Amino acid sequence: MKRFAPIFPHFALGGAQNPHFESLIFSVISSSSSLRHLRQIHALLYRFGLHGSNFLVAKLLRRLSAIGIVPPDHYPSRLFSQVPSPNSFLWTAFIRSHGFSLAGSSLEVYSLMRRQSPLQPPLPFTFTALFKSVQSLSDGIQIHAQAISLGGFDDDLFVLNALIDMYLRCNYLFDARRVFDEMRVRDVLSWTLLIVAYSRNGDMGTAAWLFEQAPAKDMVSWTAMVSGYSQNAHPREALEVFKKMQAAGVELDEVSLVGAISACAQLGTANCASWISGIVDKVGLRCNTLIGSAMIDMYAKCGLIDEAQHVFNKMTDCNVYTYSAMIAGLAANSRAEDAISMFEFMVGCTSVRPNKVTFVGVLTACSHAGLVEEGRRYFSLMKDEYGITAHPDHYTCMVDMLGRAGLVEEALELVHSMPVQPHGAVWGALLGACRIHGKPEIAKIAAEHLFKLEPDGIGNYILLSKIYASAGMWDEVSSVRKIMRGRGLRKNPACSWIESSDGVVHEFFAGDDLHPRSKEINETLEDLLWRLRTVGYVPVLNSIVYDMHDVEKEKVLKGHSEKLALSFGILVTSIGGAIRIVKNLRICEDCHLLMKFASSVIEREIFVRDNLRFHHFRNGACSCRDFW
């Protein structure tokens, strides 16, 4: 016992009779971090006849749980069994210790408590421990029924919040909401649990309503709204909430920052990227691996690939996610050789092992650059060297690569040989290849699978009709359009947006004349078209699949959203400055051709990010080398 003398200097002055003895023991248990030390304290309790103390044994059990000593380890059970008359506090600690273990059953311990100690009523914390340990809805319902049967917990916030959390973990949002609606008193946690749940469920309308109604908001609820809007493709709303979060003086953590960075990446605007970069520097998280990876992705999606490279170079701890973000960014910005070089450096000069996402980036680079043999080698390397099972996303890259290179039949054979079920993107890549190389027969095969997998994916029907139209198969075009009408499908409106020098994002839809400067935009476009025709630009009329007169086709092409955005960019950006456009759909052949001519005629760089990749137009050429 000499080892305890320095800790308990009053042992010699009364030992267990010392009125401060239990509080001293309690304090030492709280500070203990090893099983060896806790066993020594247990021995001390035996020495002074306190091994049956509900208060001290409960504390020992809680501390054992905190350091990971839980069932099926027998020590907590033996410790508990030596207390002759366990009270509700001790039973609750024992229940909680089982809740930390997959092998233990808190519900079984609770049943034992009700049988062996019927005069010891469950405490509110008994039910919070039970609800937190629930692993199935059936167990949760039983515990909920017990709480109702015993009564007295109707207004206990700890119990009710744990009950809401239990239903949410079991994916029963309706029941969680019902508990919330019936609560007479709620605290910030009650509101936050529901806000987070609806955000994760993609129901941002309900999440926003709850957020506005909440009398108090914590960092978690603010972050949930930012992340929820960002993850559900509402970047503007995400940034609005993020700005309000800043104004309210709420602390920014890495989760809220990643949500805001992701929103900036979706918008793809340079000013937004610069703004969020300043905030990251202010809070001192630029070197954070998660933040750094998100910023690399953001800069790449804004077409600022050199800035992305700068962030990467400054990072002190690059992991597989950092490398994967950089490789994917280089690939999307038509820097295939650099993407491959980075991959080779990662596997050859660092201890970082590639994962599934890394290989998606490498294969994408090979696809965009037409590096078929390299792509085949990396696809084999992934399986043979790193033991990574090919995912449908990897097959999508391979099909896309083979299809772009004109090996459409080989791409179809690869799809048929897949050991896993192809998803829509695989067949979509094959359908896109048929569009490039005029393969209506294979296109029909791909489309039939797509119509089953994605019956409401209107882009598949439109792409098939374009393939048929290019082949002059107008009866088939009519058949596809009849199917579309029968399903009530409408084409998603093409939309392009561009950021003006004051940071305002302007949206344009196909044929749009609602912009306040619409007259100037159309005049600028007419002037540009005249200048382009003088140097050889001829509209690509087969970009329009409708059976209409060429004059009408040319009129439709002139109203494409990216052309309107380009004209607006010429008006509002400084002479010689780059023009950056983001589009929600794939850029068409005519707009791609026009951008090439325009970059030469107006002597400016034009960046267009469509839903597939970046196109950097400079001096009459595109970074994709017309291979997209």
Side-chain angles (χ1 to χ4, degrees):
M1 296 305 299
K2 291 182 179 179
R3 72 177 76 241
F4 290 102
I7 303 174
F8 301 113
H10 299 290
F11 281 177
L13 300 175
Q17 283 68 47
N18 188 314
H20 302 294
F21 184 81
E22 285 201 10
S23 62
L24 285 168
I25 289 281
F26 187 90
S27 175
V28 173
I29 293 173
S30 299
S31 62
S32 297
S33 59
S34 71
L35 175 60
R36 180 172 175 270
H37 196 195
L38 289 171
R39 284 183 179 275
Q40 291 174 349
I41 296 171
H42 188 195
L44 184 66
L45 295 183
Y46 259 102
R47 166 74 179 273
F48 291 102
L50 295 174
H51 56 283
S53 167
N54 279 278
F55 175 67
L56 293 176
V57 173
K59 180 62 179 177
L60 269 174
L61 281 173
R62 288 197 293 270
R63 194 62 198 156
L64 284 167
S65 297
I67 66 171
I69 309 301
V70 295
D73 191 291
H74 295 298
Y75 184 50
S77 298
R78 291 199 303 269
L79 188 65
F80 175 83
S81 66
Q82 291 164 0
V83 179
S85 301
N87 63 14
S88 298
F89 289 97
L90 182 54
W91 276 109
T92 298
F94 196 41
I95 288 169
R96 190 181 298 275
S97 72
H98 282 72
F100 284 104
S101 169
L102 293 177
S105 171
S106 297
L107 191 56
E108 289 177 5
V109 178
Y110 174 76
S111 299
L112 191 65
M113 171 188 176
R114 300 299 292 147
R115 290 195 303 271
Q116 294 187 1
S117 303
L119 298 180
Q120 295 290 338
L123 302 166
F125 293 113
T126 310
F127 283 105
T128 59
L130 286 166
F131 286 133
K132 287 178 181 178
S133 70
V134 163
Q135 297 178 32
S136 69
L137 181 65
S138 60
D139 285 351
I141 291 173
Q142 290 183 62
I143 300 167
H144 189 182
Q146 274 284 299
I148 294 172
S149 175
L150 292 169
F153 304 104
D154 293 349
D155 291 323
D156 192 292
L157 281 171
F158 290 104
V159 174
L160 294 173
N161 286 339
L163 179 58
I164 291 173
D165 180 63
M166 180 274 292
Y167 278 121
L168 292 176
R169 282 188 289 106
C170 292
N171 296 316
Y172 278 76
L173 178 54
F174 174 82
D175 297 274
R177 180 60 185 271
R178 188 173 177 181
V179 174
F180 176 87
D181 289 340
E182 292 176 356
M183 291 171 66
R184 289 189 287 265
V185 180
R186 307 180 184 109
D187 64 2
V188 66
L189 179 58
S190 315
W191 291 92
T192 300
L193 284 168
L194 266 295
I195 291 167
V196 171
Y198 279 107
S199 296
R200 288 178 177 171
N201 209 42
D203 186 352
M204 294 309 300
T206 304
W209 184 86
L210 287 166
F211 185 77
E212 291 300 321
Q213 297 298 312
K217 304 170 181 67
D218 61 5
M219 183 179 70
V220 176
S221 59
W222 280 100
T223 300
M225 292 302 297
V226 174
S227 299
Y229 275 128
S230 180
Q231 291 166 6
N232 288 284
H234 296 291
R236 290 180 178 81
E237 292 84 347
L239 293 176
E240 286 174 10
V241 174
F242 183 76
K243 290 175 182 177
K244 290 178 181 177
M245 183 179 179
Q246 283 185 288
V250 181
E251 181 184 357
L252 303 178
D253 65 350
E254 64 178 25
V255 179
S256 57
L257 281 168
V258 166
I261 293 168
S262 175
C264 289
Q266 292 174 51
L267 285 177
T269 58
N271 284 343
C272 185
S274 176
W275 167 72
I276 198 68
S277 178
I279 294 173
V280 170
D281 286 337
K282 187 175 180 181
V283 298
L285 287 175
R286 181 174 285 271
C287 292
N288 177 287
T289 303
L290 182 63
I291 297 293
S293 300
M295 289 190 66
I296 290 169
D297 178 68
M298 175 193 70
Y299 277 127
K301 288 179 178 175
C302 291
L304 304 168
I305 194 62
D306 291 333
E307 284 81 352
Q309 185 77 64
H310 180 72
V311 172
F312 178 87
N313 293 340
K314 289 288 185 180
M315 294 192 65
T316 56
D317 184 22
C318 293
N319 61 16
V320 66
Y321 304 105
T322 316
Y323 274 101
S324 297
M326 194 66 233
I327 290 168
L330 289 165
N333 282 271
S334 301
R335 300 253 300 259
E337 291 81 5
D338 292 335
I340 292 171
S341 295
M342 177 158 288
F343 176 83
E344 293 293 345
F345 174 81
M346 183 189 78
V347 298
C349 303
T350 75
S351 60
V352 178
R353 285 180 63 85
N355 62 13
K356 292 180 180 179
V357 178
T358 318
F359 275 102
V360 169
V362 174
L363 293 174
T364 298
C366 295
S367 174
H368 285 181
L371 303 174
V372 176
E373 292 308 315
E374 289 85 344
R376 286 177 173 142
R377 181 171 67 84
Y378 285 122
F379 188 71
S380 298
L381 184 73
M382 177 180 68
K383 296 181 290 184
D384 300 338
E385 180 73 19
Y386 296 99
I388 298 174
T389 301
H391 185 273
D393 289 346
H394 301 115
Y395 282 100
T396 300
C397 295
M398 291 298 293
V399 170
D400 187 60
M401 178 188 71
L402 294 170
R404 289 173 187 271
L407 304 171
V408 184
E409 289 78 9
E410 183 180 341
L412 178 60
E413 290 177 11
L414 179 63
V415 176
H416 286 317
S417 70
M418 286 176 59
V420 294
Q421 190 70 22
H423 57 27
V426 174
W427 291 111
L430 184 62
L431 187 63
C434 294
R435 166 72 171 127
I436 297 170
H437 299 287
K439 300 284 186 177
E441 298 82 8
I442 297 178
K444 183 179 179 181
I445 296 171
E448 286 174 349
H449 285 89
L450 281 167
F451 294 166
K452 292 177 182 177
L453 292 169
E454 303 170 354
D456 296 328
I458 190 168
N460 301 323
Y461 298 88
I462 293 173
L463 188 53
L464 180 62
S465 65
K466 284 185 176 181
I467 295 169
Y468 284 149
S470 297
M473 301 165 66
W474 296 107
D475 290 341
E476 284 77 3
V477 172
S478 298
S479 297
V480 174
R481 296 197 173 279
K482 185 177 180 180
I483 295 172
M484 291 169 60
R485 288 193 298 271
R487 291 186 178 276
L489 300 178
R490 293 180 177 275
K491 182 181 178 182
N492 294 327
C495 176
S496 298
W497 55 94
I498 183 171
E499 186 179 32
S500 56
S501 56
D502 58 1
V504 177
V505 177
H506 298 257
E507 284 186 334
F508 296 91
F509 292 89
D512 192 357
D513 61 355
L514 299 177
H515 194 278
R517 300 183 66 176
S518 183
K519 183 178 179 181
E520 294 175 83
I521 291 168
N522 286 322
E523 289 174 352
T524 302
L525 180 57
E526 289 292 349
D527 178 67
L528 176 64
L529 288 170
W530 179 84
R531 294 171 65 189
L532 297 185
R533 288 190 183 97
T534 63
V535 294
Y537 164 70
V538 177
V540 183
L541 299 182
N542 65 6
S543 295
I544 303 297
V545 300
Y546 298 97
D547 189 10
M548 58 173 61
H549 194 275
D550 286 354
V551 175
E552 290 298 315
K553 287 185 177 182
E554 193 167 340
K555 184 178 179 181
V556 171
L557 286 173
K558 186 168 62 175
H560 278 193
S561 62
E562 55 266 61
K563 291 188 179 77
L564 298 176
L566 173 63
S567 300
F568 180 73
I570 293 172
L571 284 172
V572 301
T573 57
S574 57
I575 295 175
I579 298 174
R580 301 177 183 276
I581 300 167
V582 181
K583 186 179 180 182
N584 67 332
L585 303 175
R586 182 178 183 269
I587 188 172
C588 76
E589 294 90 338
D590 179 64
C591 288
H592 191 270
L593 179 65
L594 181 139
M595 296 291 174
K596 288 201 300 181
F597 274 97
S599 67
S600 176
V601 168
I602 65 176
E603 298 182 339
R604 295 171 69 172
E605 290 184 65
I606 302 170
F607 299 85
V608 178
R609 189 188 92 186
D610 66 10
N611 65 338
L612 292 178
R613 65 184 297 176
F614 253 102
H615 298 269
H616 297 241
F617 299 94
R618 183 186 294 112
N619 298 324
C622 179
S623 58
C624 75
R625 304 169 191 168
D626 297 334
F627 194 82
W628 91 102

